[in-house]
Amino acid sequence: WKYESATSASYYETYFGTKTFPVSTILMALGGATILISIIGCCGSVSHSLLLILSHTVLSGILFVTAISILATVIVFGQELDSQVETSAKAQLVFYKNPNYEDVTTAVDTI
């Protein structure tokens, strides 16, 4: 399996449509925020700075609430998302191996 940034997105969009949610982008942003918040907390501990420690505590709380809200959203709308992906996949599989729809064939083979 080889990652091709320019074409993989178009294959993905061909297969699932353009209404999908960029989950990987959000997870990377949350990971980056976690690292930055951890650095703030570490610097606050080393320098005994109450401002940095309080900033770390507040930002950690915000990150925790964000993670819990994402989890709740996935739990509540997960079934709807599964059915939407299944419906889209079944609609696109009709065009699999059709010479006029090479993008669909490539998307299915890539996934």
Short mmCIF file of all heavy atoms in Angstrom, two decimals, residues 29-83:
data_model
loop_
_atom_site.label_atom_id
_atom_site.label_comp_id
_atom_site.label_asym_id
_atom_site.label_seq_id
_atom_site.Cartn_x
_atom_site.Cartn_y
_atom_site.Cartn_z
N ALA A 29 -4.91 17.50 15.02
CA ALA A 29 -4.98 18.79 15.72
C ALA A 29 -5.08 18.59 17.23
O ALA A 29 -4.43 19.29 18.01
CB ALA A 29 -6.16 19.60 15.21
N LEU A 30 -5.90 17.63 17.66
CA LEU A 30 -5.99 17.34 19.10
C LEU A 30 -4.67 16.81 19.65
O LEU A 30 -4.29 17.14 20.78
CB LEU A 30 -7.12 16.33 19.36
CG LEU A 30 -8.53 16.88 19.25
CD1 LEU A 30 -9.55 15.76 19.41
CD2 LEU A 30 -8.78 17.96 20.29
N GLY A 31 -3.98 16.01 18.87
CA GLY A 31 -2.67 15.52 19.30
C GLY A 31 -1.66 16.65 19.44
O GLY A 31 -0.89 16.71 20.41
N GLY A 32 -1.67 17.57 18.48
CA GLY A 32 -0.78 18.72 18.56
C GLY A 32 -1.12 19.61 19.74
O GLY A 32 -0.23 20.12 20.43
N ALA A 33 -2.43 19.80 19.99
CA ALA A 33 -2.84 20.60 21.14
C ALA A 33 -2.42 19.93 22.44
O ALA A 33 -1.99 20.61 23.39
CB ALA A 33 -4.36 20.79 21.12
N THR A 34 -2.50 18.62 22.50
CA THR A 34 -2.08 17.89 23.70
C THR A 34 -0.59 18.09 23.97
O THR A 34 -0.18 18.30 25.11
CB THR A 34 -2.39 16.39 23.54
OG1 THR A 34 -3.78 16.22 23.31
CG2 THR A 34 -1.98 15.61 24.78
N ILE A 35 0.20 18.05 22.91
CA ILE A 35 1.64 18.26 23.08
C ILE A 35 1.93 19.68 23.58
O ILE A 35 2.73 19.87 24.50
CB ILE A 35 2.38 17.97 21.76
CG1 ILE A 35 2.35 16.48 21.46
CG2 ILE A 35 3.82 18.48 21.80
CD1 ILE A 35 2.87 16.10 20.10
N LEU A 36 1.28 20.66 22.98
CA LEU A 36 1.50 22.05 23.40
C LEU A 36 1.06 22.27 24.85
O LEU A 36 1.75 22.95 25.63
CB LEU A 36 0.78 23.02 22.48
CG LEU A 36 1.34 23.12 21.06
CD1 LEU A 36 0.45 24.03 20.21
CD2 LEU A 36 2.76 23.65 21.09
N ILE A 37 -0.08 21.71 25.22
CA ILE A 37 -0.56 21.84 26.60
C ILE A 37 0.39 21.15 27.56
O ILE A 37 0.67 21.67 28.66
CB ILE A 37 -1.99 21.28 26.72
CG1 ILE A 37 -2.96 22.18 25.95
CG2 ILE A 37 -2.43 21.16 28.17
CD1 ILE A 37 -4.35 21.60 25.78
N SER A 38 0.93 20.02 27.17
CA SER A 38 1.90 19.32 28.02
C SER A 38 3.17 20.14 28.20
O SER A 38 3.75 20.18 29.30
CB SER A 38 2.24 17.96 27.41
OG SER A 38 1.10 17.16 27.33
N ILE A 39 3.62 20.79 27.15
CA ILE A 39 4.82 21.63 27.25
C ILE A 39 4.57 22.81 28.19
O ILE A 39 5.43 23.17 29.01
CB ILE A 39 5.26 22.11 25.84
CG1 ILE A 39 5.81 20.93 25.05
CG2 ILE A 39 6.29 23.22 25.93
CD1 ILE A 39 6.08 21.23 23.60
N ILE A 40 3.36 23.40 28.09
CA ILE A 40 3.01 24.50 29.00
C ILE A 40 3.04 24.01 30.45
O ILE A 40 3.57 24.68 31.34
CB ILE A 40 1.63 25.09 28.64
CG1 ILE A 40 1.73 25.87 27.33
CG2 ILE A 40 1.10 25.99 29.75
CD1 ILE A 40 0.38 26.33 26.79
N GLY A 41 2.47 22.83 30.69
CA GLY A 41 2.47 22.28 32.04
C GLY A 41 3.86 21.97 32.55
O GLY A 41 4.18 22.22 33.72
N CYS A 42 4.70 21.44 31.68
CA CYS A 42 6.07 21.13 32.07
C CYS A 42 6.86 22.40 32.40
O CYS A 42 7.56 22.47 33.42
CB CYS A 42 6.75 20.36 30.94
SG CYS A 42 8.43 19.85 31.30
N CYS A 43 6.71 23.41 31.55
CA CYS A 43 7.40 24.68 31.82
C CYS A 43 6.88 25.33 33.10
O CYS A 43 7.65 25.92 33.86
CB CYS A 43 7.22 25.64 30.64
SG CYS A 43 8.08 25.13 29.15
N GLY A 44 5.58 25.21 33.36
CA GLY A 44 5.01 25.75 34.60
C GLY A 44 5.53 25.04 35.83
O GLY A 44 5.79 25.67 36.86
N SER A 45 5.72 23.73 35.73
CA SER A 45 6.25 22.98 36.87
C SER A 45 7.71 23.32 37.13
O SER A 45 8.12 23.46 38.29
CB SER A 45 6.12 21.48 36.61
OG SER A 45 4.78 21.10 36.59
N VAL A 46 8.48 23.42 36.08
CA VAL A 46 9.91 23.69 36.25
C VAL A 46 10.14 25.09 36.78
O VAL A 46 10.97 25.30 37.69
CB VAL A 46 10.64 23.48 34.89
CG1 VAL A 46 12.06 24.00 34.96
CG2 VAL A 46 10.65 22.01 34.52
N SER A 47 9.38 26.06 36.27
CA SER A 47 9.61 27.45 36.68
C SER A 47 8.74 27.87 37.87
O SER A 47 8.84 29.00 38.32
CB SER A 47 9.33 28.39 35.50
OG SER A 47 7.95 28.34 35.16
N HIS A 48 7.91 26.95 38.38
CA HIS A 48 7.01 27.23 39.51
C HIS A 48 6.13 28.45 39.22
O HIS A 48 5.86 29.26 40.09
CB HIS A 48 7.79 27.44 40.82
CG HIS A 48 8.61 26.27 41.20
ND1 HIS A 48 8.05 25.10 41.65
CD2 HIS A 48 9.96 26.07 41.19
CE1 HIS A 48 9.01 24.24 41.91
NE2 HIS A 48 10.19 24.79 41.64
N SER A 49 5.68 28.53 37.96
CA SER A 49 4.83 29.65 37.53
C SER A 49 3.36 29.25 37.69
O SER A 49 2.88 28.32 37.05
CB SER A 49 5.12 29.99 36.07
OG SER A 49 4.16 30.90 35.58
N LEU A 50 2.68 29.98 38.55
CA LEU A 50 1.27 29.70 38.80
C LEU A 50 0.44 29.96 37.55
O LEU A 50 -0.51 29.22 37.26
CB LEU A 50 0.77 30.56 39.96
CG LEU A 50 -0.66 30.29 40.41
CD1 LEU A 50 -0.81 28.85 40.89
CD2 LEU A 50 -1.06 31.26 41.49
N LEU A 51 0.80 30.97 36.77
CA LEU A 51 0.07 31.28 35.54
C LEU A 51 0.14 30.13 34.55
O LEU A 51 -0.87 29.74 33.97
CB LEU A 51 0.62 32.57 34.91
CG LEU A 51 0.00 32.96 33.57
CD1 LEU A 51 -1.47 33.31 33.75
CD2 LEU A 51 0.75 34.10 32.94
N LEU A 52 1.33 29.58 34.36
CA LEU A 52 1.47 28.46 33.42
C LEU A 52 0.76 27.21 33.92
O LEU A 52 0.15 26.47 33.13
CB LEU A 52 2.94 28.17 33.15
CG LEU A 52 3.69 29.19 32.28
CD1 LEU A 52 5.16 28.82 32.16
CD2 LEU A 52 3.06 29.29 30.91
N ILE A 53 0.82 26.96 35.21
CA ILE A 53 0.15 25.78 35.77
C ILE A 53 -1.36 25.92 35.65
O ILE A 53 -2.06 24.97 35.28
CB ILE A 53 0.59 25.55 37.23
CG1 ILE A 53 2.07 25.15 37.26
CG2 ILE A 53 -0.26 24.48 37.89
CD1 ILE A 53 2.66 25.06 38.64
N LEU A 54 -1.89 27.11 35.93
CA LEU A 54 -3.33 27.34 35.78
C LEU A 54 -3.74 27.27 34.31
O LEU A 54 -4.81 26.74 33.98
CB LEU A 54 -3.74 28.67 36.39
CG LEU A 54 -3.74 28.73 37.91
CD1 LEU A 54 -4.08 30.14 38.39
CD2 LEU A 54 -4.73 27.73 38.48
N SER A 55 -2.91 27.80 33.42
CA SER A 55 -3.19 27.71 31.99
C SER A 55 -3.23 26.26 31.55
O SER A 55 -4.12 25.84 30.78
CB SER A 55 -2.13 28.45 31.18
OG SER A 55 -2.13 29.82 31.49
N HIS A 56 -2.29 25.47 32.04
CA HIS A 56 -2.25 24.04 31.73
C HIS A 56 -3.52 23.36 32.23
O HIS A 56 -4.13 22.55 31.51
CB HIS A 56 -1.01 23.40 32.36
CG HIS A 56 -0.98 21.92 32.23
ND1 HIS A 56 -1.41 21.09 33.24
CD2 HIS A 56 -0.61 21.12 31.21
CE1 HIS A 56 -1.29 19.84 32.84
NE2 HIS A 56 -0.80 19.83 31.61
N THR A 57 -3.95 23.68 33.44
CA THR A 57 -5.14 23.06 34.00
C THR A 57 -6.38 23.42 33.20
O THR A 57 -7.20 22.54 32.86
CB THR A 57 -5.32 23.51 35.47
OG1 THR A 57 -4.13 23.18 36.19
CG2 THR A 57 -6.50 22.83 36.10
N VAL A 58 -6.55 24.69 32.87
CA VAL A 58 -7.73 25.13 32.11
C VAL A 58 -7.72 24.52 30.71
O VAL A 58 -8.74 24.00 30.23
CB VAL A 58 -7.79 26.67 32.05
CG1 VAL A 58 -8.83 27.15 31.06
CG2 VAL A 58 -8.05 27.23 33.43
N LEU A 59 -6.58 24.57 30.03
CA LEU A 59 -6.51 24.02 28.68
C LEU A 59 -6.70 22.51 28.67
O LEU A 59 -7.32 21.96 27.76
CB LEU A 59 -5.18 24.41 28.03
CG LEU A 59 -5.02 25.89 27.70
CD1 LEU A 59 -3.61 26.18 27.20
CD2 LEU A 59 -6.04 26.33 26.67
N SER A 60 -6.19 21.83 29.68
CA SER A 60 -6.41 20.38 29.79
C SER A 60 -7.89 20.08 29.99
O SER A 60 -8.43 19.12 29.42
CB SER A 60 -5.61 19.79 30.95
OG SER A 60 -4.24 19.88 30.69
N GLY A 61 -8.56 20.90 30.78
CA GLY A 61 -10.00 20.73 30.99
C GLY A 61 -10.78 20.94 29.70
O GLY A 61 -11.70 20.17 29.38
N ILE A 62 -10.41 21.96 28.95
CA ILE A 62 -11.08 22.23 27.67
C ILE A 62 -10.84 21.06 26.70
O ILE A 62 -11.77 20.61 26.01
CB ILE A 62 -10.59 23.56 27.06
CG1 ILE A 62 -11.09 24.72 27.91
CG2 ILE A 62 -11.03 23.71 25.62
CD1 ILE A 62 -10.49 26.06 27.53
N LEU A 63 -9.63 20.56 26.66
CA LEU A 63 -9.31 19.43 25.79
C LEU A 63 -10.09 18.19 26.21
O LEU A 63 -10.59 17.44 25.37
CB LEU A 63 -7.80 19.16 25.81
CG LEU A 63 -7.28 18.14 24.81
CD1 LEU A 63 -7.48 18.66 23.39
CD2 LEU A 63 -5.83 17.85 25.06
N PHE A 64 -10.21 17.97 27.51
CA PHE A 64 -10.97 16.82 28.02
C PHE A 64 -12.44 16.93 27.63
O PHE A 64 -13.05 15.95 27.17
CB PHE A 64 -10.81 16.74 29.55
CG PHE A 64 -11.57 15.61 30.16
CD1 PHE A 64 -11.15 14.30 30.00
CD2 PHE A 64 -12.73 15.85 30.89
CE1 PHE A 64 -11.85 13.25 30.56
CE2 PHE A 64 -13.44 14.81 31.45
CZ PHE A 64 -13.00 13.50 31.29
N VAL A 65 -13.03 18.11 27.80
CA VAL A 65 -14.44 18.31 27.43
C VAL A 65 -14.62 18.12 25.92
O VAL A 65 -15.61 17.53 25.47
CB VAL A 65 -14.92 19.70 27.90
CG1 VAL A 65 -16.27 20.05 27.31
CG2 VAL A 65 -14.97 19.75 29.41
N THR A 66 -13.68 18.60 25.14
CA THR A 66 -13.74 18.42 23.69
C THR A 66 -13.70 16.94 23.32
O THR A 66 -14.48 16.48 22.48
CB THR A 66 -12.58 19.16 23.00
OG1 THR A 66 -12.63 20.54 23.36
CG2 THR A 66 -12.63 19.01 21.50
N ALA A 67 -12.81 16.19 23.94
CA ALA A 67 -12.70 14.76 23.66
C ALA A 67 -13.99 14.03 24.06
O ALA A 67 -14.46 13.15 23.33
CB ALA A 67 -11.51 14.17 24.38
N ILE A 68 -14.56 14.39 25.21
CA ILE A 68 -15.79 13.76 25.65
C ILE A 68 -16.94 14.10 24.69
O ILE A 68 -17.77 13.24 24.36
CB ILE A 68 -16.14 14.18 27.09
CG1 ILE A 68 -15.10 13.64 28.07
CG2 ILE A 68 -17.54 13.73 27.49
CD1 ILE A 68 -15.02 12.13 28.11
N SER A 69 -16.99 15.34 24.21
CA SER A 69 -18.06 15.72 23.28
C SER A 69 -17.91 15.00 21.94
O SER A 69 -18.91 14.61 21.33
CB SER A 69 -18.10 17.23 23.09
OG SER A 69 -16.92 17.68 22.48
N ILE A 70 -16.68 14.80 21.48
CA ILE A 70 -16.46 14.04 20.25
C ILE A 70 -16.89 12.59 20.45
O ILE A 70 -17.55 12.00 19.58
CB ILE A 70 -14.99 14.14 19.80
CG1 ILE A 70 -14.69 15.54 19.30
CG2 ILE A 70 -14.68 13.11 18.71
CD1 ILE A 70 -13.23 15.80 19.03
N LEU A 71 -16.56 12.03 21.59
CA LEU A 71 -16.97 10.66 21.89
C LEU A 71 -18.49 10.53 21.92
O LEU A 71 -19.06 9.59 21.36
CB LEU A 71 -16.37 10.21 23.23
CG LEU A 71 -16.76 8.82 23.71
CD1 LEU A 71 -16.23 7.76 22.76
CD2 LEU A 71 -16.26 8.59 25.11
N ALA A 72 -19.15 11.48 22.56
CA ALA A 72 -20.62 11.45 22.63
C ALA A 72 -21.22 11.58 21.23
O ALA A 72 -22.21 10.90 20.91
CB ALA A 72 -21.11 12.57 23.53
N THR A 73 -20.64 12.43 20.39
CA THR A 73 -21.13 12.59 19.03
C THR A 73 -20.99 11.30 18.24
O THR A 73 -21.90 10.90 17.50
CB THR A 73 -20.39 13.73 18.32
OG1 THR A 73 -20.52 14.92 19.09
CG2 THR A 73 -20.92 13.96 16.92
N VAL A 74 -19.86 10.64 18.40
CA VAL A 74 -19.64 9.37 17.70
C VAL A 74 -20.62 8.31 18.18
O VAL A 74 -21.17 7.55 17.39
CB VAL A 74 -18.18 8.90 17.87
CG1 VAL A 74 -18.01 7.47 17.41
CG2 VAL A 74 -17.25 9.82 17.11
N ILE A 75 -20.86 8.27 19.48
CA ILE A 75 -21.80 7.29 20.02
C ILE A 75 -23.22 7.56 19.52
O ILE A 75 -23.94 6.64 19.11
CB ILE A 75 -21.75 7.27 21.56
CG1 ILE A 75 -20.43 6.66 22.02
CG2 ILE A 75 -22.93 6.50 22.14
CD1 ILE A 75 -20.18 6.78 23.51
N VAL A 76 -23.62 8.82 19.51
CA VAL A 76 -24.99 9.16 19.11
C VAL A 76 -25.19 9.01 17.60
O VAL A 76 -26.19 8.44 17.15
CB VAL A 76 -25.33 10.60 19.55
CG1 VAL A 76 -26.64 11.06 18.94
CG2 VAL A 76 -25.38 10.69 21.05
N PHE A 77 -24.25 9.50 16.80
CA PHE A 77 -24.43 9.50 15.36
C PHE A 77 -23.66 8.38 14.65
O PHE A 77 -23.61 8.35 13.42
CB PHE A 77 -24.00 10.85 14.77
CG PHE A 77 -24.86 11.99 15.22
CD1 PHE A 77 -24.35 12.96 16.06
CD2 PHE A 77 -26.17 12.07 14.82
CE1 PHE A 77 -25.14 14.01 16.49
CE2 PHE A 77 -26.98 13.12 15.23
CZ PHE A 77 -26.46 14.09 16.07
N GLY A 78 -23.06 7.48 15.40
CA GLY A 78 -22.27 6.41 14.79
C GLY A 78 -23.09 5.50 13.89
O GLY A 78 -22.65 5.13 12.80
N GLN A 79 -24.27 5.13 14.34
CA GLN A 79 -25.12 4.25 13.55
C GLN A 79 -25.54 4.93 12.24
O GLN A 79 -25.57 4.30 11.19
CB GLN A 79 -26.36 3.85 14.36
CG GLN A 79 -27.19 2.79 13.70
CD GLN A 79 -26.47 1.45 13.64
OE1 GLN A 79 -25.56 1.19 14.42
NE2 GLN A 79 -26.86 0.63 12.70
N GLU A 80 -25.87 6.22 12.31
CA GLU A 80 -26.25 6.96 11.11
C GLU A 80 -25.07 7.04 10.14
O GLU A 80 -25.24 6.89 8.93
CB GLU A 80 -26.70 8.37 11.49
CG GLU A 80 -27.12 9.21 10.31
CD GLU A 80 -27.52 10.61 10.73
OE1 GLU A 80 -28.02 10.79 11.85
OE2 GLU A 80 -27.32 11.53 9.92
N LEU A 81 -23.88 7.25 10.67
CA LEU A 81 -22.69 7.31 9.83
C LEU A 81 -22.44 5.97 9.16
O LEU A 81 -22.12 5.90 7.97
CB LEU A 81 -21.48 7.74 10.65
CG LEU A 81 -20.16 7.85 9.92
CD1 LEU A 81 -20.24 8.94 8.86
CD2 LEU A 81 -19.05 8.14 10.89
N ASP A 82 -22.58 4.88 9.92
CA ASP A 82 -22.38 3.55 9.34
C ASP A 82 -23.36 3.29 8.20
O ASP A 82 -22.98 2.79 7.14
CB ASP A 82 -22.55 2.47 10.40
CG ASP A 82 -21.38 2.40 11.36
OD1 ASP A 82 -20.31 2.95 11.02
OD2 ASP A 82 -21.54 1.80 12.44
N SER A 83 -24.62 3.64 8.40
CA SER A 83 -25.61 3.40 7.35
C SER A 83 -25.35 4.30 6.14
O SER A 83 -25.54 3.88 5.00
CB SER A 83 -27.02 3.61 7.89
OG SER A 83 -27.22 4.96 8.24
#
